[in-house]
Every structure is written in C-alpha cells, then in structure tokens.
Amino acid sequence: MHLICWSAPRCRTFLSWRAHVTAAAQAHVFDIDTANFETEVLRASMTTPVLVDFWATWCGPCKTLGPMLEKLAVEYNGAFRLGKVDVDKNQELAAMFGIRSIPTVMLVKDGQLLDGFAGALPEGELREFLSRHVQPLGDEASAEPEVTGEEDPAQAINRLQQEIAAEPERAELKLDLALALMRNGQADAAEAELNALPANLATDARAVRLRSQLDLARALEGAPSLAELRQRVQADPADWAARDLLGVRLLLEDDPAAGLDQFLAILERARDWNEGGAKKRLLAAFATLDDAELVGRYRRRMASLLF
C-alpha cells in the first residue's frame, strides 16, 4: 500500500511527540491494532464515540494534528476516545478504511463509520467537526447561551453593547455581539468584532462558523443573480467560476444540498481550479450548516473524490 503525507511538500522523520503525552491524555488516548480493533473501537463505540487517527512517524502534518487531537480528547473529558493507528505497523487496518493519505481521521459511533476528514485541520475546524457529533462532558457552561423571549438582532446588539460597556473584560460578549451584528446584516461590523477577539475565542466553534459565513457572503459581492448563474452553467457546464458562485448562492439562499452539489461537481472535474477552491468552499459550507446528517453525507462524498 502506497501512502502520501497529506498537504505537505515533503515528510520528515521526527522524534515522536507521543513520548510527551500527559497522564490526563493517556486516560482518553490509546493505540489501535488488529488485536484490539473490534473490542476497543467497534464495540466500545456503542457507548462512547471513537475518533480514529491514522498517522505515521514520517508524516510531518501528523506531528501538527496529533497533539491537537490529544488536547481535545482531554478537554472533552471522555466524551470521545482517541485511537491512534500507526499505518506502517497496521497496514491491514489502513487498507480496511481505504486510507490513501495521512493524516486521516475517522469518527466511529454505534459501531459505524459516521464521519471523517483528511489533512491537518486548524484547531477551530477540529472543534467544529467534533461539535457536530459530541459535546464535552461536564462543560455545560461553554454551550452557547440561549436568548429568551422574542429579542431581534437589533435588540441583541443594543443589549450586548450595554453589557460590554459595563463588563469590558468579558470577551465572550464581544463574540456574541459579532454574531448579532451578522444576523442583523452588518457584515463589516461583525468582521471588525471578530478580528478583535482574543486568541482563545478566535478558535471557538461559533467564531469559526461566523468567519466562514463572512467569507461566503463576501464571495457574492457584485455577483450575478441566481437565474443568470444558472443560465451560464447550463450553457457551459465547465464555467467553474459561475458554478462556484451558483453554489454559494444556493447555499445561502436555502438550498444547501444543491449548493454543495455544485462544489462537488467542480471537485470531481476540476480539483485544482482556483487553487483547490471547491474543497475550500465545501469546508466553509460545512462550518456554517446546522444539519449534521447533511454535512456528514457530503463530507463522505468529498472524501470519496479526494481519495
């Protein structure tokens, strides 16, 4: 089996960071091989989801991704377990999952492969991926606060601005304000608040989602109408620019599946167009959608095209 190291110009041998795993991480992280796969992954996933990380000592991006996954396993406090598969030592397992590049991560839940991704994602995207399937144990306070009553975005903006003036040290209020500004159609103001967030909140799943929403909205500035884009694509199915904008319009105008189909069409037939623009659009779309089933289905379709 031939494997490549994902998104890296070259892979270098490195001293294993696994020697430095903390005791806390060891409670939630384990090695997978053919001997324990059925018990520790398939059966265990019936009660606790298992995130399976396919890696190798010679893979540079694995060195970036691995510690982040272990950090999140500790933070999630047993909401999922992280299983590590050294592909050089377990080629049979890698072949069973159809692994062709590393790092690749798969989420197994209830004995079934539920979702997955390839490459060393940024921490914010990792958090977004996990948030669709599991929640940290004992961390209810981190959930997004619910707004009671019929507060509209303008009212929320006014309330949050007053709360920030009274408690400027509460940075989380500024993220809430950025979200309210975006809901009120004030993209520039939302982006300004987002850019001013401290580092710990910049990687919050809500901040990552807002950033993706802003990027998608910016793409439509000055773009043709939905009808014109449909006509362009019908006249020339290889008009990738029109297909890309059509996908964004459909995504933001309440037909997300149709929008995702446009990005998949580009990925299948012109993967390298616009420096991998279709893959970037798909990842941004996944970060904005609330439908976990839809996202999981299209993540798998994207993975089948990439690998």
Side-chain angles (χ1 to χ4, degrees):
M1 178 177 59
H2 176 67
L3 291 169
I4 62 172
C5 189
W6 180 264
S7 296
R10 55 184 178 183
C11 295
R12 298 178 292 272
T13 303
F14 59 91
L15 295 175
S16 175
W17 42 263
R18 310 235 29 245
H20 304 287
V21 175
T22 65
Q26 289 175 350
H28 307 297
V29 181
F30 66 102
D31 290 317
I32 299 174
D33 56 28
T34 54
N36 69 0
F37 177 77
E38 182 175 355
T39 301
E40 297 295 332
V41 178
L42 295 181
R43 293 183 185 177
S45 73
M46 301 301 293
T47 55
T48 303
V50 178
L51 201 64
V52 183
D53 176 22
F54 293 89
W55 70 290
T57 57
W58 45 264
C59 171
C62 299
K63 183 179 179 182
T64 300
L65 181 66
M68 286 195 291
L69 292 175
E70 294 192 356
K71 170 188 171 183
L72 291 171
V74 173
E75 184 177 317
Y76 272 64
N77 194 30
F80 72 90
R81 296 188 71 208
L82 175 63
K84 310 288 295 183
V85 179
D86 184 332
V87 296
D88 289 332
K89 297 178 180 178
N90 297 279
Q91 295 188 20
E92 183 179 345
L93 283 178
M96 183 176 73
F97 277 84
I99 304 301
R100 290 294 178 269
S101 63
I102 56 174
T104 291
V105 175
M106 302 286 187
L107 181 67
V108 181
K109 189 175 182 180
D110 298 326
Q112 301 292 325
L113 176 60
L114 181 64
D115 204 347
F117 63 86
L121 298 183
E123 184 175 331
E125 291 184 23
L126 289 177
R127 290 179 181 278
E128 184 275 326
F129 172 83
L130 286 170
S131 71
R132 296 188 179 279
H133 305 293
V134 294
Q135 295 298 323
L137 297 182
D139 192 26
E140 293 82 358
S142 66
E144 182 175 355
E146 294 185 5
V147 177
T148 58
E150 297 297 325
E151 186 180 50
D152 62 30
Q155 291 172 327
I157 291 168
N158 183 59
R159 171 180 59 81
L160 288 164
Q161 287 174 335
Q162 293 182 34
E163 291 180 7
I164 291 170
E167 300 180 272
E169 71 282 358
R170 291 185 60 193
E172 67 274 13
L173 292 175
K174 297 177 182 178
L175 174 55
D176 293 336
L177 176 59
L179 295 168
L181 287 165
M182 187 64 181
R183 288 194 296 270
N184 202 43
Q186 297 173 247
D188 290 339
E191 186 171 28
E193 293 291 341
L194 186 62
N195 290 338
L197 291 176
N200 64 314
L201 282 177
T203 58
D204 182 280
R206 292 179 298 155
V208 172
R209 178 176 181 175
L210 176 56
R211 181 75 67 187
S212 296
Q213 289 174 331
L214 284 166
D215 290 343
L216 290 167
R218 294 277 188 244
L220 290 182
E221 292 179 354
S225 67
L226 183 65
E228 181 179 343
L229 289 169
R230 287 187 188 277
Q231 291 175 354
R232 284 177 56 180
V233 171
Q234 185 175 7
D236 180 7
D239 185 343
W240 308 125
R243 191 178 287 277
D244 174 61
L245 290 175
L246 175 60
V248 176
R249 279 216 176 276
L250 290 168
L251 181 72
L252 298 181
E253 296 177 15
D254 298 325
D255 196 353
L260 294 173
D261 283 334
Q262 298 301 321
F263 303 142
L264 283 176
I266 299 173
L267 186 67
E268 181 177 16
R269 298 166 57 191
R271 179 184 303 187
D272 297 327
W273 174 78
N274 198 23
E275 299 181 347
K279 179 187 174 186
K280 295 174 185 176
R281 288 284 196 236
L282 285 163
L283 293 175
F286 295 156
T288 66
L289 294 171
D290 290 322
D291 189 334
E293 189 280 330
L294 178 70
V295 170
R297 176 154 43 94
Y298 276 86
R299 276 191 188 276
R300 290 189 289 273
R301 289 180 62 184
M302 181 180 76
S304 69
L305 292 175
L306 290 173
F307 317 118

